[in-house]
Amino acid sequence: MSHLNRRQALRLFAAAGAAGMAAPLLSACSSSDDSSDGTAVPSGPPIKIGMIVPQTGMFKDFGNELDNGFSLYLQLHDGKLGGRQVTVVKADEGETADSGKAAANKLIKEDKVLALTGVANPAAMLALRQDIEDAKIPLIGSNASPKALQTLGPKYIWRTSFVSDEPGTAIARWAVGNAGGSLAICGQTGPGGDDDDVASFVETYKSAGGTIAGQARTVGYGSKDFTAMLTGVKQSGAKAMYALFSGASAIEFVKQYRNMHFPADFKLFGTGSLTEGYVLKQQGDSARDIFTALNYSPDLDNVANRRFIADYQKAFGTVPSTFAMSSYDAAAVLDKAITDATRNLDSFQLNAAIGRLGQIDSPRGGWQFTQTRTPLQRWYLRQVRNDGAVLSNVLTAELSTRG
């Protein structure tokens, strides 16, 4: 799998951005007036899209990245989706399932939006599911969704990210050959006890012949003291550890892991959220050499990603995460589907148009929705190391295609 040195890419695009390359990039990404085959894009009255993102609470940083990805797509498309001017109405998801459900209901009942996007908290996705299905308004979720949602067969909920059991499954077989013979597992569970990722990892790891030394969990997303957990791992004799943490918990876990001074040949790996986005910036050098599995790496070498990286860097001064990328893709899905729908556009017709979409040309690589309304996509192994002068999640291998 070829990949691009991010420092080289950013230097190339940044140097050209103020001159001759900026206009071609915008025109290549824009569909405000014409479709890719030269035919006129349908136009019509302005539309409202509801965005459910945490603006307060412990998920706020994730919400910022979801907001950035969606707003960038609109900036590059003259504020239009499918040729129609867009007003984005935001509602604060907060940090609980109930507050996420309240945000969705406000956007549906008071703001009368055409469609919804966002949702950072997987528990909120389950809580608002019935409201979405009853209202028959499509939701294009842009963060991981619980495995339990799959079994409920939603018709109006689509996801541009992934199902929460996929990262563990994607990295498990690689882990068997790289765990040194004995592996410990540490992770957090949400308030509802959800641990799809760990369960899928354990099942796949054991089926491939792996040995597990022990497991430990913390309850809740805000845990910050992992001394006892890490001491237990160190005393177990395990040669490697699989970890599932996100947000503030991931920051503290990685810092405390590094301070425990595990043997030099000990390996730490886990799901992408362990070192993704703003989390890695705060972990700093403590995260060096950690391996993770995710559906995106910023140094993927494809045209769509090179454009995305350059435009995102220009707009926000930083490298995008999978959260920003998935939200950017949610806007792309809406753009294509609104273009495909008739002039008498409504939520029902839009949902049907989403079901007719083919491949999405994404920074992660091309993907398309499966029958379960989640992406069929490639999964990548990344390692935290320097990419130029920047510590980053650097692509090391392609793991599998899942969906």
Side-chain angles (χ1 to χ4, degrees):
M1 169 65 67
S2 65
H3 59 281
L4 185 69
N5 182 298
R6 187 181 306 103
R7 180 176 59 176
Q8 295 172 341
L10 294 180
R11 184 169 61 236
L12 172 66
F13 281 90
M21 191 173 285
L25 277 179
L26 288 175
S27 62
C29 291
S30 177
S31 65
S32 59
D33 296 312
D34 297 288
S35 66
S36 59
D37 63 2
T39 59
V41 173
S43 61
I47 56 176
K48 289 195 290 187
I49 303 296
M51 175 168 275
I52 305 168
V53 286
Q55 298 170 315
T56 57
M58 61 183 170
F59 298 117
K60 183 179 183 295
D61 289 304
F62 295 123
N64 291 340
E65 296 187 43
L66 296 179
D67 192 4
N68 287 350
F70 199 88
S71 65
L72 177 63
Y73 190 94
L74 286 176
Q75 289 173 30
L76 297 174
H77 292 77
D78 299 326
K80 296 179 181 179
L81 296 176
R84 297 180 184 233
Q85 200 67 41
V86 173
T87 297
V88 176
V89 185
K90 298 175 188 176
D92 184 9
E93 181 184 342
E95 61 181 27
T96 69
D98 287 342
S99 59
K101 177 181 171 73
N105 277 310
K106 175 190 177 296
L107 293 169
I108 293 169
K109 296 176 181 178
E110 297 180 21
D111 298 301
K112 309 294 184 184
V113 297
L114 174 71
L116 297 160
T117 189
V119 188
N121 183 357
M125 184 69 82
L126 275 178
L128 57 80
R129 178 196 67 85
Q130 194 58 56
D131 296 321
I132 298 298
E133 297 296 307
D134 290 344
K136 295 181 170 55
I137 292 179
L139 164 64
I140 299 87
S142 42
N143 195 18
S145 60
K147 184 179 179 181
L149 187 66
Q150 303 293 88
T151 64
L152 298 172
K155 294 181 173 60
Y156 284 84
I157 298 179
W158 308 77
R159 282 83 82 208
T160 57
S161 183
F162 53 86
V163 181
S164 56
D165 66 336
E166 291 183 306
T169 303
I171 200 173
R173 293 188 183 280
W174 175 88
V176 171
N178 291 273
S182 181
L183 173 79
I185 295 176
C186 294
Q188 65 191 12
T189 61
D194 53 303
D195 58 354
D196 293 342
D197 183 283
V198 170
S200 66
F201 175 86
V202 169
E203 180 181 358
T204 307
Y205 184 78
K206 285 184 173 179
S207 69
T211 301
I212 295 175
Q215 300 187 42
R217 301 281 204 285
T218 62
V219 178
Y221 294 120
S223 302
K224 292 187 177 181
D225 185 0
F226 304 101
T227 305
M229 178 183 286
L230 288 166
T231 299
V233 172
K234 196 171 185 180
Q235 294 174 349
S236 72
K239 302 297 184 183
M241 175 168 49
Y242 180 77
L244 170 64
F245 295 97
S246 63
S249 293
I251 295 168
E252 290 302 319
F253 180 83
V254 167
K255 287 182 177 180
Q256 291 171 39
Y257 159 76
R258 192 61 66 186
N259 289 336
M260 291 286 291
H261 301 292
F262 277 76
D265 60 349
F266 189 91
K267 286 188 174 67
L268 173 59
F269 44 88
T271 186
S273 62
L274 187 64
T275 61
E276 184 67 2
Y278 80 95
V279 166
L280 179 58
K281 292 181 182 179
Q282 296 190 42
Q283 291 165 338
D285 206 59
S286 295
R288 186 176 296 277
D289 296 326
I290 294 175
F291 288 92
T292 59
L294 204 58
N295 61 344
Y296 178 66
S297 178
D299 60 342
L300 282 167
D301 188 7
N302 62 64
V303 173
N305 192 46
R306 291 196 294 270
R307 290 172 178 162
F308 178 57
I309 289 285
D311 291 331
Y312 197 93
Q313 173 79 14
K314 181 179 178 181
F316 305 109
T318 189
V319 175
S321 66
T322 189
F323 312 110
M325 179 277 298
S326 294
S327 193
Y328 182 88
D329 277 8
V333 165
L334 286 168
D335 192 13
K336 290 187 70 172
I338 292 168
T339 299
D340 181 62
T342 66
R343 287 183 177 271
N344 297 319
L345 179 65
D346 60 24
S347 297
F348 178 82
Q349 292 179 28
L350 176 59
N351 196 66
I354 295 171
R356 295 192 294 268
L357 293 181
Q359 182 165 284
I360 302 297
D361 184 20
S362 168
R364 79 188 83 175
W367 64 270
Q368 63 187 45
F369 284 118
T370 66
Q371 289 184 341
T372 58
R373 289 162 165 71
T374 56
L376 177 65
Q377 61 189 328
R378 287 183 288 275
W379 282 82
Y380 306 100
L381 181 71
R382 302 110 44 87
Q383 184 183 30
V384 177
R385 63 190 192 206
N386 279 85
D387 186 1
V390 179
L391 195 65
S392 184
N393 290 292
V394 177
L395 174 68
T396 64
E398 184 174 320
L399 291 170
S400 62
T401 297
R402 309 198 63 80

